[in-house]
Amino acid sequence: MLETIKLTSEFWSRYQEVVSKNVIPYQWQALNDQLPDAEPSHAVKNFEIAAGLAEGEYYGEVFQDSDVAKWIETVAYSLREYPNQELSERVDRLIEIIGQAQEEDGYLNTYYQLKHPEYKWANLRDNHELYCAGHFIEAAVAYYQSTGKRQLLSIMEKFVELIQQTFGSEAGKRHGYPGHEEIELALLRMYDVTDNPMHLELAKYFIEERGKAPNYFEGEKEERQGKDLTWNDDNHINFGLGYEYQQAHLPIRQQEQAVGHAVRAVYYYTAVADLAKKIGDQSLTETVKRLWQDIVERQMYITGGIGSSAIGESFTCHHDLPNDTMYCETCASVGLAFFANKMQQLELSGEYGDIFEKLIYNGTISGMNLTGDRFFYVNPLEINQFQKHRKDQEHVLYERQKWLKTACCPPNLARFIASLDRYILSEETETITIHQYISCEYQSQGFSLTLQSDLPWNGAIRLTIKSKEVVKKAIRLRIPEWTKETVQIYVNQQSKTLPIEQGYVTLEESWQNQDTITLEFDMSPKLIYANQQVIENIGKVAIQKGPVIYCLEELDNGADLARLYVEELADVETQELPSLYQGKALTFTGYRMAGNSTKMYHDKGVTFEKTALTAVPYYAWGNRGYGEMRVWLNKY
Amino acid sequence: MLETIKLTSEFWSRYQEVVSKNVIPYQWQALNDQLPDAEPSHAVKNFEIAAGLAEGEYYGEVFQDSDVAKWIETVAYSLREYPNQELSERVDRLIEIIGQAQEEDGYLNTYYQLKHPEYKWANLRDNHELYCAGHFIEAAVAYYQSTGKRQLLSIMEKFVELIQQTFGSEAGKRHGYPGHEEIELALLRMYDVTDNPMHLELAKYFIEERGKAPNYFEGEKEERQGKDLTWNDDNHINFGLGYEYQQAHLPIRQQEQAVGHAVRAVYYYTAVADLAKKIGDQSLTETVKRLWQDIVERQMYITGGIGSSAIGESFTCHHDLPNDTMYCETCASVGLAFFANKMQQLELSGEYGDIFEKLIYNGTISGMNLTGDRFFYVNPLEINQFQKHRKDQEHVLYERQKWLKTACCPPNLARFIASLDRYILSEETETITIHQYISCEYQSQGFSLTLQSDLPWNGAIRLTIKSKEVVKKAIRLRIPEWTKETVQIYVNQQSKTLPIEQGYVTLEESWQNQDTITLEFDMSPKLIYANQQVIENIGKVAIQKGPVIYCLEELDNGADLARLYVEELADVETQELPSLYQGKALTFTGYRMAGNSTKMYHDKGVTFEKTALTAVPYYAWGNRGYGEMRVWLNKY
């Protein structure tokens, strides 16, 4: 399908261009340590050393290789829209080096090759060999699909063979599985292009072996007494989170709640959802539906962020959603989008597209500045004047960084943006389903479809059929949750009243050339309440317009945002802010609270005065200077 | 003065009796590892081993000795009111053992004697030798003052001589000072009984040497490369707080803000205030006034708790007062009371008595259950349903513990309660000043004074003079901050209108036998607001009646306390709760919020319904079962 859709959305084209023109070259510099004043990466150099092309020692995190993989994957997607001979040759040369770095038997992981060849596979719990393999598999698949070039795919097929010979439930094989899930979803993607049943089987093995008793990581730990030790051997294991940290506390079908490290969790569940569909397994389907609900109805921030605690970058418990100490890693939101997509393929329900839409306009792209050269790992919902003085909130930064020591997020977000066209619509024999209202041209068998949308700024949507012949296709349209009660639908200007089923309306018509479907979504800003169980947000509201969550910044509203109150949005107006590119601000009247005493504690009450307030899209915060920021506002 | 005052307050007599009858024997069992299912202490055994009376190895924290010292100090105070021959002999025997444990040259610290005799004084930063010495000095002084027995005082005088020979600004001496302040205030107490100028000088040296550049701890660290290492050598020093952790970042006179570990800070400032008075030093006086203000006007909880962060058990920054992640160590509140007392001696201002009163009725005694056998180290202002799931809030317990691994708080609170009579009033040549309205009989030269008060439950105060002759003494009375605007004062039933100066009114009369002064304090419950800079408490109020801060418990009000709102206290009633001993509850009508949707995020608003609420004194929370608790309530 990659070749049949062309993204034309102004909003997303700009982002894809940023990725192509800025992020890809910028990250290449980062991976080659050419950025001044940024954390060193050394990631390319590690491969050159392993390939025998350079001298030196391994440097970086144990998962440094994966940054190279994600960069290749991003380039793969980006080259489709932005062909670039020089870049293409650079990737081919890099893949050559990777090939040279690969060992005879297929093994490929520069950390172990250069630092501890004697300890390969000795610490799956902490050391990310299978995780890095997963990212290279994804890169290989994407590069093959985009360019038709098989080199990286071959390299990875060879490595996967070694992995399959090494791991499995058969006697004589290691009964292990990765400490950080990723290879599962990657193997399933590989299976999509190779049709090799071994790839499916290996994914199934990793998914189902996980969490069986006795725990593999326990045995592994016994075995490597004194060797290949990590930070995790010195501490109470996994930050005191036990094997829930890695979702390895129970076999998948017994898991009731989303637990542990949020990125690991959603990568795992993404694979489980894909496997459930591929093998038609009902109990797996029920399991992922349960885990999905557990996240989005009890553990997800309004921005689509997940991971309430920095300790283990993890889920904590239902409705525990602090706005100032949370983690909300960019990678976790990207991973939740992958999960949403696989759920959407598993069963038709608008909720998956709703959450996907929430993620793309909020908690994912907040991880990058508007020009693509500064990145957040952690995406707070509140920046206040205290965080920088608190040692327990050192993970919360108010300024995006040039590069990160653990640089998982920047390339993850880049590859996601560069491949966004994959998530807009799907076509089955008798139906085309529109999941996301992102402008594009879609070319099908004998007809094409033009989708025009100015989301997230304007709710007028238009689909136009181009066809020489009459097309018999049902067109299924997701009706976003935020407009469900007010949506208007027209076919060729004729109003239609249609039932919303599972979040979609279905138009069963025979389509002729120049037929149009138009939708009018209600884009009026709304005050949103959190579930009453979320004690952090009691007495508070957030502002949402269409799919976009807004926030207040100190820059527009002065300091002490905690003292601002919102009554309603009666006089709200939309305002252009050129510095935010297409981003639109909202202005409205609110209140500022003042204490009636300068004392620390007093009985003099408080007073309120009206004040003009300006809210900006959450994803764009911290792009015009630094200061306080706040999503949840006091309700007057 | 210790012999001339007898505490008769019903409230405090019960507490002192609890200390005498329950806490002292209970803690003796703890110190001797006779409590089942409690953290072992081994503290007495360590002395027996050092004295050559028992076999075995040192066990416990590096400051384990100090628990013994605080227990002796508590017994010293308690024996005055509750004579007990057996207990008295037990202490004498213990002091004998301590004497036997002392080395020839005076050195006394069982940790170093038993574990690392070669590393004495090698790690002042972390290892508490001088801290333990300080506590033994305090115990020695108290025991001497209460019983007239000099044995422990002599032991400590000998040790202090060694310390004085070891430390000082002279060439050939170590220019060190303790990592945990305590010996400074202890030496000044010792000076009060010994009049030995060396004791004053040594305290002055420790106080003034601290924080000078180059930092002593840096040099010490260099010197002990590889030896006597602690947890603190492995990490970023002092939890990343630098030498602010120990208030050793600057010389005292340059310190502008209360910083670092809260207990260390207030112990230090207590000594500085005492020294400032003893030597009449203006710049030290200004310094402690500045630091006092910095705490009580910018860094103190409404309960008198201090220490906003568990990391380093420390202050963070102005107005950063989270209610659920705070530390508020019991010891820190006790230490702040010591500081208040020394400030009160340094200058007359009712604020010191106000804060002292806040401390005794709230954040200190909350550290112990009502029967004296369960203890808190951390005193939260909020217990919610999430804390037990959060690894970053593991320090917050909802249930007091039998004993604590770091057992500083239980004996600290016990010695404070047992000595409370020391803080009620002071007498100078021409004036008697009443600081605290705690019922007592005070015997002066030629006359006596009876103070009758049912505080904290009743605001009627009566003072009666008993004298054969006319007494010419000004009587100065602190007017508590919470009643300042409404207080009524009578002398022999005659109403007096008097100016409140520095928080006190002064009655300049000639007093005859049976003359009475009565005061009527307004005890109506009030809603209290925090300063608007405290973002945690915006939109919230606390309930205060007299000096007592109230809280809601789940037990009385159902779960989800975060959803309760208070409008005003129009229909408030006082209710007896026998299970809280004299503790009175307040009942009133409030509101319970309900969400209008079961969804995670929605635009349906919220609704409120009236509900009957019950508040109990904060200090008494967690005495009748366990559940949520909350001091700061939403304002309707």
Side-chain angles (χ1 to χ4, degrees):
Chain A
M1 194 172 80
L2 290 179
E3 309 75 31
T4 59
I5 191 160
K6 182 172 160 53
L7 187 146
T8 56
S9 150
E10 194 186 343
F11 185 89
W12 288 111
S13 292
R14 198 196 73 80
Y15 264 104
Q16 292 200 335
E17 194 177 332
V18 164
V19 168
S20 166
K21 300 266 168 66
N22 301 1
V23 180
I24 287 173
Y26 185 85
Q27 294 195 352
W28 179 251
Q29 288 185 289
L31 295 174
N32 288 279
D33 300 327
Q34 293 159 1
L35 291 182
D37 315 320
E39 289 282 350
S41 162
H42 209 259
V44 169
K45 191 64 164 265
N46 290 334
F47 278 99
E48 290 171 349
I49 298 168
L53 301 171
E55 296 285 313
E57 284 180 14
Y58 184 88
Y59 173 87
E61 302 288 331
V62 73
F63 41 78
Q64 213 76 349
D65 284 2
S66 64
D67 295 343
V68 175
K70 280 186 271 185
W71 182 80
I72 295 173
E73 191 183 344
T74 309
V75 175
Y77 301 129
S78 187
L79 282 175
R80 295 171 302 154
E81 187 61 31
Y82 301 94
N84 179 327
Q85 186 60 26
E86 192 196 326
L87 181 61
S88 191
E89 283 168 13
R90 183 182 293 164
V91 177
D92 292 341
R93 172 74 193 126
L94 180 61
I95 290 172
E96 237 181 86
I97 294 169
I98 293 165
Q100 285 174 265
Q102 184 172 37
E103 298 189 356
E104 268 309 300
D105 64 358
Y107 188 88
L108 182 65
N109 181 288
T110 71
Y111 172 80
Y112 276 104
Q113 290 175 262
L114 299 179
K115 282 195 79 140
H116 290 298
E118 71 279 23
Y119 294 150
K120 287 172 189 166
W121 313 126
N123 188 352
L124 294 185
R125 188 190 66 199
D126 308 325
N127 281 350
H128 291 70
E129 280 156 296
L130 294 169
Y131 169 86
C132 291
H135 274 300
F136 271 106
I137 294 167
E138 287 205 88
V141 170
Y143 201 62
Y144 168 67
Q145 287 179 317
S146 288
T147 65
K149 296 179 188 170
R150 278 202 66 103
Q151 284 84 340
L152 189 56
L153 191 60
S154 301
I155 290 169
M156 292 317 295
E157 282 180 310
K158 190 171 169 193
F159 191 15
V160 168
E161 254 177 69
L162 175 69
I163 293 169
Q164 191 267 341
Q165 287 156 16
T166 309
F167 295 96
S169 46
E170 302 93 321
K173 288 188 177 179
R174 292 173 191 257
H175 304 325
Y177 42 84
H180 192 316
E181 301 95 320
E182 155 64 25
I183 196 170
E184 301 86 346
L185 72 84
L187 286 166
L188 294 169
R189 283 187 71 180
M190 190 176 225
Y191 173 68
D192 286 338
V193 301
T194 64
D195 250 341
N196 180 344
M198 184 269 274
H199 297 161
L200 177 66
E201 279 306 310
L202 186 56
K204 184 166 179 288
Y205 160 75
F206 281 136
I207 287 169
E208 295 187 333
E209 186 66 22
R210 192 170 203 84
K212 285 189 182 167
N215 190 289
Y216 178 80
F217 298 137
E218 281 296 308
E220 176 190 77
K221 191 175 153 197
E222 287 296 306
E223 238 177 80
R224 65 182 156 78
Q225 284 298 347
K227 14 176 243 190
D228 206 33
L229 296 174
T230 70
W231 58 274
N232 205 3
D233 290 293
D234 294 330
N235 283 298
H236 51 320
I237 194 168
N238 290 331
F239 310 97
L241 297 169
Y243 293 114
E244 293 199 356
Y245 174 67
Q246 285 134 333
Q247 301 79 41
H249 57 305
L250 284 172
I252 184 64
R253 289 176 179 82
Q254 294 170 38
Q255 297 197 17
E256 297 286 334
Q257 193 176 329
V259 296
H261 187 263
V263 176
R264 284 171 164 82
V266 288
Y267 280 15
Y268 186 34
Y269 309 152
T270 299
V272 177
D274 199 5
L275 180 67
K277 180 173 170 77
K278 283 187 164 66
I279 67 173
D281 184 303
Q282 192 52 36
S283 65
L284 277 187
T285 300
E286 280 161 23
T287 295
V288 275
K289 285 174 70 170
R290 185 168 70 229
L291 294 168
W292 168 267
Q293 286 301 328
D294 194 68
I295 292 175
V296 303
E297 283 300 325
R298 289 184 283 276
Q299 303 204 70
M300 185 187 69
Y301 286 85
I302 195 170
T303 56
I306 50 173
S308 302
S309 173
I311 296 180
E313 311 179 350
S314 67
F315 293 108
T316 56
C317 62
H318 292 162
H319 301 110
D320 178 32
L321 296 167
N323 296 310
D324 56 346
T325 62
M326 75 302 89
Y327 213 68
C328 292
E329 185 180 338
T330 306
C331 281
S333 287
V334 169
L336 183 56
F338 295 155
F339 185 23
N341 178 54
K342 289 299 172 193
M343 289 305 291
Q344 185 173 271
Q345 293 172 8
L346 183 59
E347 69 162 10
L348 191 78
S349 166
E351 188 183 31
Y352 305 120
D354 287 340
I355 299 293
F356 191 94
E357 187 180 60
K358 177 186 276 297
L359 287 160
I360 59 176
Y361 291 113
N362 301 288
T364 55
I365 55 173
S366 59
M368 185 170 85
N369 68 351
L370 296 170
T371 47
D373 55 4
R374 295 290 186 281
F375 304 92
F376 273 139
Y377 195 94
V378 169
N379 292 276
L381 278 79
E382 174 182 328
I383 292 292
N384 60 51
Q385 58 270 57
F386 301 132
Q387 277 153 322
K388 60 177 174 287
H389 300 282
R390 293 197 64 100
K391 293 288 160 190
D392 53 359
Q393 295 180 26
E394 277 183 334
H395 61 289
V396 184
L397 305 180
Y398 56 88
E399 190 178 349
R400 292 177 183 83
Q401 306 293 297
K402 277 187 166 183
W403 198 244
L404 313 163
K405 184 153 175 281
T406 296
C408 50
C409 297
N412 212 355
L413 181 58
R415 70 174 176 143
F416 180 58
I417 292 171
S419 62
L420 204 60
D421 48 314
R422 298 170 63 203
Y423 303 97
I424 298 175
L425 54 81
S426 58
E427 184 176 358
E428 299 86 44
T429 324
E430 298 181 346
T431 318
I432 287 187
T433 309
I434 310 293
H435 303 295
Q436 298 301 324
Y437 296 94
I438 295 174
S439 292
C440 63
E441 301 279 347
Y442 176 65
Q443 187 59 53
S444 185
Q445 303 283 52
F447 73 99
S448 71
L449 193 67
T450 302
L451 167 53
Q452 289 167 287
S453 156
D454 269 336
L455 277 189
W457 310 124
N458 187 309
I461 312 290
R462 171 187 288 258
L463 287 98
T464 311
I465 313 290
K466 286 186 199 153
S467 175
K468 290 188 180 141
E469 292 169 24
V470 171
V471 180
K472 277 206 64 130
K473 274 265 177 189
I475 296 185
R476 209 150 44 184
L477 302 158
R478 181 178 65 88
I479 304 305
E481 191 274 338
W482 43 267
T483 192
K484 214 164 259 179
E485 287 153 31
T486 47
V487 64
Q488 296 182 57
I489 306 164
Y490 307 86
V491 175
N492 297 330
Q493 271 76 265
Q494 255 197 313
S495 179
K496 294 269 175 184
T497 305
L498 294 164
I500 302 178
E501 289 170 333
Q502 294 163 295
Y504 287 82
V505 294
T506 307
L507 294 160
E508 313 253 18
E509 314 247 346
S510 292
W511 305 102
Q512 305 195 12
N513 197 31
Q514 296 301 335
D515 273 356
T516 60
I517 305 166
T518 53
L519 300 126
E520 285 288 343
F521 293 163
D522 173 21
M523 296 291 285
S524 52
K526 288 178 188 170
L527 296 183
I528 304 295
Y529 295 78
N531 186 285
Q532 61 193 15
Q533 298 291 332
V534 182
I535 67 175
E536 293 281 336
N537 296 338
I538 283 174
K540 299 204 173 103
V541 287
I543 299 172
Q544 178 168 357
K545 181 176 191 291
V548 175
I549 304 298
Y550 278 74
C551 68
L552 299 191
E553 287 195 276
E554 181 177 344
L555 190 75
D556 304 304
N557 303 287
D560 300 317
L561 298 181
R563 280 150 61 188
L564 298 177
Y565 282 69
V566 183
E567 188 171 18
E568 35 185 319
L569 299 171
D571 64 347
V572 67
E573 284 180 21
T574 303
Q575 200 192 312
E576 303 279 335
L577 275 185
S579 56
L580 295 184
Y581 297 89
Q582 301 108 318
K584 307 284 188 292
L586 298 175
T587 59
F588 54 96
T589 304
Y591 294 85
R592 184 178 299 276
M593 184 273 272
N596 290 330
S597 169
T598 57
K599 292 189 66 82
M600 188 66 185
Y601 300 104
H602 65 85
D603 59 1
K604 308 302 176 212
V606 295
T607 50
F608 295 89
E609 61 179 28
K610 285 197 175 181
T611 186
L613 299 178
T614 300
V616 296
Y618 169 75
Y619 73 80
W621 82 273
N623 270 278
R624 301 168 298 149
Y626 306 109
E628 296 177 37
M629 181 277 291
R630 192 167 274 255
V631 171
W632 289 97
L633 311 169
N634 304 306
K635 177 73 171 70
Y636 188 77
Chain B
M1 195 170 81
L2 291 179
E3 308 75 30
T4 60
I5 191 160
K6 183 175 160 51
L7 186 145
T8 58
S9 149
E10 195 187 342
F11 185 89
W12 288 111
S13 291
R14 198 196 72 80
Y15 264 104
Q16 292 200 334
E17 194 178 329
V18 164
V19 167
S20 166
K21 300 264 167 70
N22 302 1
V23 180
I24 287 174
Y26 184 86
Q27 294 194 352
W28 179 252
Q29 287 185 290
L31 294 174
N32 288 277
D33 300 327
Q34 293 159 1
L35 290 182
D37 315 320
E39 288 282 351
S41 163
H42 210 258
V44 169
K45 190 66 163 262
N46 290 334
F47 278 99
E48 290 171 348
I49 299 168
L53 302 170
E55 297 284 314
E57 285 181 11
Y58 184 90
Y59 172 86
E61 302 289 331
V62 74
F63 41 79
Q64 212 76 349
D65 285 3
S66 64
D67 294 342
V68 175
K70 280 186 271 184
W71 182 79
I72 296 173
E73 190 184 346
T74 308
V75 174
Y77 302 129
S78 187
L79 282 175
R80 297 170 301 154
E81 187 61 31
Y82 301 94
N84 179 329
Q85 186 60 27
E86 192 197 325
L87 181 61
S88 191
E89 284 168 13
R90 184 182 292 164
V91 177
D92 292 342
R93 173 69 195 131
L94 180 60
I95 291 172
E96 240 180 84
I97 295 169
I98 293 166
Q100 285 174 265
Q102 185 171 36
E103 298 187 357
E104 268 309 299
D105 64 357
Y107 188 87
L108 182 64
N109 182 287
T110 71
Y111 171 80
Y112 275 103
Q113 290 175 261
L114 299 179
K115 284 197 77 144
H116 290 298
E118 72 279 22
Y119 293 151
K120 287 172 188 167
W121 313 126
N123 187 352
L124 295 184
R125 188 189 65 196
D126 307 326
N127 280 350
H128 291 70
E129 280 156 299
L130 293 169
Y131 168 87
C132 291
H135 274 300
F136 271 106
I137 294 167
E138 288 204 87
V141 170
Y143 201 63
Y144 169 67
Q145 287 179 316
S146 289
T147 66
K149 296 178 187 170
R150 278 202 66 103
Q151 284 83 341
L152 188 56
L153 191 59
S154 301
I155 291 169
M156 293 316 296
E157 284 180 309
K158 191 173 168 191
F159 191 16
V160 169
E161 257 177 67
L162 175 69
I163 293 170
Q164 191 268 340
Q165 288 155 17
T166 309
F167 295 97
S169 46
E170 303 92 321
K173 287 187 177 179
R174 293 172 190 258
H175 304 324
Y177 43 84
H180 192 315
E181 302 93 321
E182 154 65 25
I183 196 169
E184 302 86 347
L185 71 85
L187 286 166
L188 294 169
R189 283 187 72 181
M190 191 177 224
Y191 173 68
D192 286 338
V193 302
T194 64
D195 251 343
N196 181 344
M198 182 269 272
H199 296 160
L200 177 66
E201 279 307 311
L202 187 56
K204 184 167 178 287
Y205 159 76
F206 281 135
I207 287 169
E208 295 187 332
E209 186 67 23
R210 190 169 205 86
K212 285 189 181 166
N215 190 289
Y216 178 80
F217 298 137
E218 282 295 310
E220 177 191 76
K221 191 175 150 196
E222 287 296 307
E223 236 175 82
R224 66 182 155 76
Q225 285 297 349
K227 12 176 244 188
D228 207 33
L229 297 174
T230 70
W231 57 275
N232 205 3
D233 290 292
D234 295 330
N235 283 299
H236 53 319
I237 195 166
N238 291 331
F239 311 98
L241 297 169
Y243 294 113
E244 293 200 357
Y245 174 67
Q246 285 135 334
Q247 302 78 43
H249 57 304
L250 283 172
I252 183 65
R253 289 176 180 81
Q254 293 171 38
Q255 298 196 18
E256 297 286 335
Q257 193 176 327
V259 295
H261 187 264
V263 176
R264 283 170 164 82
V266 288
Y267 280 15
Y268 186 35
Y269 308 153
T270 300
V272 177
D274 199 4
L275 180 68
K277 181 174 171 73
K278 284 187 164 65
I279 66 173
D281 184 303
Q282 192 53 36
S283 65
L284 278 188
T285 300
E286 280 161 22
T287 296
V288 275
K289 284 174 69 169
R290 184 168 70 229
L291 294 168
W292 169 266
Q293 286 301 328
D294 194 68
I295 293 176
V296 303
E297 284 299 327
R298 290 184 283 276
Q299 304 204 69
M300 186 187 69
Y301 287 85
I302 194 170
T303 55
I306 50 173
S308 303
S309 173
I311 296 179
E313 311 179 350
S314 68
F315 293 109
T316 56
C317 62
H318 291 163
H319 302 110
D320 178 32
L321 296 167
N323 295 310
D324 57 344
T325 63
M326 73 304 91
Y327 213 67
C328 291
E329 185 180 339
T330 306
C331 281
S333 288
V334 169
L336 183 56
F338 296 155
F339 185 23
N341 178 55
K342 288 299 171 193
M343 288 305 291
Q344 184 172 272
Q345 293 172 9
L346 184 60
E347 70 162 10
L348 191 79
S349 167
E351 188 183 33
Y352 305 120
D354 287 340
I355 298 294
F356 191 94
E357 188 181 58
K358 177 186 277 297
L359 287 160
I360 59 175
Y361 292 112
N362 301 288
T364 55
I365 54 173
S366 59
M368 185 171 82
N369 67 349
L370 295 170
T371 46
D373 55 2
R374 295 289 186 283
F375 304 93
F376 273 140
Y377 195 95
V378 169
N379 292 276
L381 278 79
E382 174 183 328
I383 293 291
N384 61 49
Q385 58 269 55
F386 302 131
Q387 278 153 321
K388 60 177 175 285
H389 299 283
R390 292 197 64 98
K391 293 291 161 190
D392 53 0
Q393 295 181 25
E394 277 183 333
H395 61 289
V396 183
L397 305 180
Y398 55 89
E399 189 177 351
R400 292 176 183 83
Q401 305 293 296
K402 277 187 164 183
W403 198 246
L404 313 162
K405 186 153 172 279
T406 295
C408 49
C409 298
N412 213 355
L413 181 57
R415 69 174 177 144
F416 181 59
I417 291 171
S419 62
L420 203 62
D421 48 316
R422 298 169 63 202
Y423 304 97
I424 298 173
L425 54 81
S426 59
E427 184 176 359
E428 299 86 43
T429 324
E430 297 179 347
T431 318
I432 287 187
T433 309
I434 310 294
H435 303 294
Q436 298 301 325
Y437 295 95
I438 296 173
S439 292
C440 64
E441 300 280 347
Y442 176 63
Q443 188 60 51
S444 184
Q445 303 284 51
F447 73 99
S448 72
L449 193 69
T450 302
L451 166 53
Q452 290 166 286
S453 155
D454 270 336
L455 275 189
W457 310 124
N458 186 309
I461 312 290
R462 171 186 289 258
L463 288 98
T464 311
I465 313 290
K466 284 184 198 154
S467 175
K468 291 186 181 143
E469 293 168 22
V470 169
V471 180
K472 279 208 60 129
K473 275 266 177 187
I475 295 185
R476 210 155 39 188
L477 302 158
R478 182 178 64 87
I479 305 303
E481 192 274 337
W482 44 267
T483 191
K484 215 165 258 176
E485 287 155 30
T486 47
V487 65
Q488 297 183 57
I489 305 163
Y490 306 87
V491 175
N492 296 331
Q493 271 75 266
Q494 256 197 312
S495 179
K496 294 270 176 183
T497 306
L498 295 163
I500 301 177
E501 290 170 332
Q502 294 163 294
Y504 288 81
V505 294
T506 307
L507 294 160
E508 312 253 17
E509 316 249 343
S510 292
W511 305 101
Q512 305 195 11
N513 197 34
Q514 296 302 335
D515 273 356
T516 60
I517 305 166
T518 53
L519 299 124
E520 286 286 344
F521 295 164
D522 174 21
M523 297 290 286
S524 52
K526 288 177 187 171
L527 295 184
I528 304 295
Y529 294 78
N531 187 285
Q532 61 195 13
Q533 299 291 331
V534 182
I535 66 174
E536 293 279 337
N537 296 338
I538 283 174
K540 298 202 174 105
V541 288
I543 299 172
Q544 178 168 358
K545 181 175 190 294
V548 176
I549 304 298
Y550 279 74
C551 67
L552 299 193
E553 289 195 274
E554 182 177 344
L555 190 74
D556 304 304
N557 302 286
D560 300 316
L561 298 181
R563 281 151 60 188
L564 298 177
Y565 281 69
V566 183
E567 186 170 20
E568 36 187 318
L569 298 171
D571 64 346
V572 68
E573 283 181 22
T574 302
Q575 199 190 313
E576 303 280 333
L577 275 185
S579 57
L580 295 184
Y581 297 90
Q582 300 108 318
K584 307 283 188 294
L586 299 175
T587 58
F588 55 96
T589 303
Y591 294 86
R592 184 179 299 275
M593 183 272 270
N596 290 330
S597 168
T598 57
K599 291 188 67 83
M600 189 65 184
Y601 300 105
H602 65 85
D603 60 1
K604 309 301 176 211
V606 295
T607 49
F608 295 89
E609 61 178 28
K610 284 197 176 180
T611 185
L613 300 178
T614 300
V616 295
Y618 169 74
Y619 73 80
W621 82 273
N623 271 277
R624 300 170 297 149
Y626 307 108
E628 296 177 35
M629 183 276 293
R630 191 166 275 253
V631 170
W632 289 98
L633 312 169
N634 304 305
K635 178 74 171 73
Y636 189 77

